[in-house]
Amino acid sequence: MDMMDLIGRRAKEAAGLLALLSTVEKDRAILAIADALEKMTGQILLANQKDLDAAVQNGMSTAMQDRLRLTPERIASMAGAARECAALPDPVGQVIEGSNRPNGLQITKVAVPLGVVGIIFESRPNATVDCAVLCLKAGNACILRGGKEAIHSNTALAGVMRTALESVGVIADAVQLIEDTSRESAVALMRLNQYVDVLVPRGGIGLIRSVVENATIPVIETGAGVCHAYVESSADLEMAANIVHNGKTSRPSVCNALECLLVDSAIAGDFLPLLARRLDSHKVEIRGCPNTCKILGDRAVPAADDDYGAEFFDFILAVKVVTGIDEAIAHIRTYSTRHSEVIVTRNLTAASRFTREVDSAAVYVNASTRFTDGGEFGLGAEIGISTQKLHARGPMGLRELVSYKYIIAGDGQVR
Amino acid sequence: MDMMDLIGRRAKEAAGLLALLSTVEKDRAILAIADALEKMTGQILLANQKDLDAAVQNGMSTAMQDRLRLTPERIASMAGAARECAALPDPVGQVIEGSNRPNGLQITKVAVPLGVVGIIFESRPNATVDCAVLCLKAGNACILRGGKEAIHSNTALAGVMRTALESVGVIADAVQLIEDTSRESAVALMRLNQYVDVLVPRGGIGLIRSVVENATIPVIETGAGVCHAYVESSADLEMAANIVHNGKTSRPSVCNALECLLVDSAIAGDFLPLLARRLDSHKVEIRGCPNTCKILGDRAVPAADDDYGAEFFDFILAVKVVTGIDEAIAHIRTYSTRHSEVIVTRNLTAASRFTREVDSAAVYVNASTRFTDGGEFGLGAEIGISTQKLHARGPMGLRELVSYKYIIAGDGQVR
């Protein structure tokens, strides 16, 4: 694909220039983008309307249409997020560590941009701006490949950003959108090893699997979150009900929402009816193991095998009664996507076993999994939640969008 | 491949146990391995002799036979390296950072093992022990896949290590060797996503390309080093000749050896004859651009296009006369593998431009590229030199063999 090669080459050239920009220059570019988004709101909304019209014609669900829809408020909020990003500390140039060696070599380990970041995402057009701005702040050029259903919105947003960059003397190719939304263009991006340093897929499990399967460039897996809560026998049951209710109902469409509850058999008879009443507020469907169904009667339906490990994105909760912490940890080991899990307990041994033995990006004691988020962790805006162990784990913000290099100063040393 | 699935499952189970071992337990296991290697030297040498006999029959070059050969001294040196690794600080459990959030959540970011590390390597059998011991210290289970030509040696070494682990009550599957040396077994390992967290290929560019092309699990590229020296016009020419001579001749078979020299045209006429005389010591073949050949006459041969960017592993140096730092940096950008590069200069502006603009793992001013090594950097033993930007760049030692997780302690917080 000649077009992709050209896009890759331009991105690499832009990355070379971006890496040398000062913080002031990068922040000015981001603020120019924020201003331009607000100024061009009318034009962006017109483009978005084309996508919405097509969505209606294609019978897209109302929920999906809502994800696709831009409004003046949503555009203002994108601009606001960009301004917040400009205010964050620059991760580039930070001296990570250094030492003088016995032979007089002075070694310094310095943060540098990753280079070119490819991002493949699905329907929400705000990802276009969020990702571009974070990449820019970290000195990276980005190549964006959004979904077909948002192509008019994404093209308008990318155009506004590129014009804004040029207006402050920053190379427009710092932000490129692939306008070809065919499967071929996505696969071509996944194999642009010569130009792209890292690929971040943002989306559902199908997209992420396709990227892992096809990419030859390094990938950071994000997103898929099958989060578990384990209510241990010593738990404060009110607190446990709160945490489960919050994890399931406050925003079921996001990756840090709760999908599965494990309850210790010693308290299941007390806890499950209490929880079921709380979950009535959102008519949460409970899919339970035989013991759960015995306790809850009509309030639960039998869980199928594949309800464990499912990411429902909906007011549905899988529930299983377990014999203790060993079974809970084993269940999590089998079904979790290693995103976020929580134990509710008053027992110190149980808490410390759970945090040591559960191998997830975020392991909670007595708090909602919904907190797994760059902002909530105090790390600033994020490009996604990594569920792999290489490079970045958990919220992936500015500090995870850089690499490092060693600079070694000598006066003629040889080995 | 059922066998590979079984190996993967065992490794994952072992990783779960290793992650919970204390530093004392891990060090005891490593010291048991060191002792066992020395005690079983006779048996290991017998196995090695089988590989050497096959090598002779297959007409392997003397240099390659030397890489394959084990001796009592080399086995003692493997044991010594293991003991040094036991003495290094444990990277697991280190608190990387932490904070209290305004809502009372206590967030701690803690180093944890990667899990299961797959290592694909070529002929030198000492890699078997080096890699296993480093993985063990970092709490990782490893799956080793060595070359066919060393299979008897590797099988003996893995057997000794597994018995030693069992003797101190550590699960033997912490170290597994794939005895099937077919291409299929390597490809199967590269796609064991369910069990393997990271794959580290150690070897030539052919092996690394095959892994990048075929792997679906995250890979850390190591090894390929096309290192450049740029002798700037203000350089101390004696120092420059020393640095180039050392980079090219002290050990041409390793990845931090120098492959290409760029000389500023202002000093090429003085420097190249001086350097050529120094390189006579090792009869280094100089493959030069037309200007180099004009200056050096018979002492150089014309460089072919593909001599730039080549990793010679031999006493061969590509040379090009450049018009200044811009051309030098552009050449490096095109031909380097982003491993190590050096500028020799007395000019501050040139030094700081070079270190900022050259995008390699290690960028030197006035010192030999041969220092790119975990031990020389004061970082301890390494599993390889990473030439990619994700996760680890440059020497990859114990600290690069771990990931991290967030542990969040609350008292009922919801969002």
Side-chain angles (χ1 to χ4, degrees), chain A residues 47-108:
Chain A
N48 185 241
Q49 191 57 50
K50 281 193 205 169
D51 289 329
L52 289 168
D53 291 347
V56 171
Q57 276 195 331
N58 297 330
M60 185 187 276
S61 74
T62 327
M64 287 297 283
Q65 283 185 46
D66 182 60
R67 286 166 75 87
L68 183 56
R69 178 170 293 113
L70 293 175
T71 62
E73 294 70 35
R74 287 185 179 181
I75 292 173
S77 138
M78 281 155 56
R83 292 191 182 104
E84 280 171 28
C85 181
L88 290 172
D90 188 342
V92 174
Q94 213 194 321
V95 174
I96 300 165
E97 62 182 17
S99 67
N100 287 0
R101 300 298 303 150
N103 60 3
L105 286 181
Q106 299 179 311
I107 301 186
T108 314

Side-chain angles (χ1 to χ4, degrees), chain A residues 97 101 114 191 213 246 355 358 361 365-366 370 376 389 391 393 399 404-406 410 412 415, chain B residues 97 114 191 213 246 355 358 361 365-366 370 376 389 391 393 399 404-406 408 410 412 415:
Chain A
E97 62 182 17
R101 300 298 303 150
L114 283 171
R191 307 183 77 91
E213 190 58 36
N246 181 258
T355 54
V358 170
V365 179
N366 296 336
R370 290 274 294 107
E376 295 294 330
K389 288 186 170 176
H391 186 74
R393 204 173 188 205
R399 291 191 307 178
Y404 57 84
K405 69 178 168 192
Y406 291 95
R415 187 176 172 191
Chain B
E97 61 183 20
L114 284 170
R191 307 182 78 90
E213 189 58 35
N246 181 258
T355 53
V358 170
V365 179
N366 297 335
R370 290 276 291 107
E376 294 294 331
K389 289 185 168 175
H391 186 73
R393 205 175 188 204
R399 290 191 308 181
Y404 56 83
K405 69 178 169 192
Y406 291 95
I408 305 99
R415 186 177 173 191

Side-chain angles (χ1 to χ4, degrees), chain A residues 218-241:
Chain A
V219 173
I220 296 188
E221 289 186 50
T222 67
V226 178
C227 304
H228 293 75
Y230 168 49
V231 180
E232 195 264 345
S233 60
S234 70
D236 175 329
L237 300 189
E238 270 300 324
M239 182 194 288

Side-chain angles (χ1 to χ4, degrees), chain B residues 279-331:
Chain B
L279 295 180
D280 283 344
S281 67
H282 290 77
K283 300 193 173 56
V284 174
E285 179 181 328
I286 295 173
R287 299 188 182 173
C289 66
N291 280 330
T292 303
C293 292
K294 209 178 290 170
I295 293 166
L296 289 181
D298 283 355
R299 183 63 185 84
V301 297
D305 280 355
D306 59 3
D307 283 325
Y308 299 111
E311 192 170 15
F312 297 115
F313 293 122
D314 204 343
F315 293 103
I316 300 170
L317 183 69
V319 178
K320 191 179 180 192
V321 175
V322 295
T323 52
I325 192 167
D326 287 316
E327 192 182 344
I329 291 173
H331 182 98

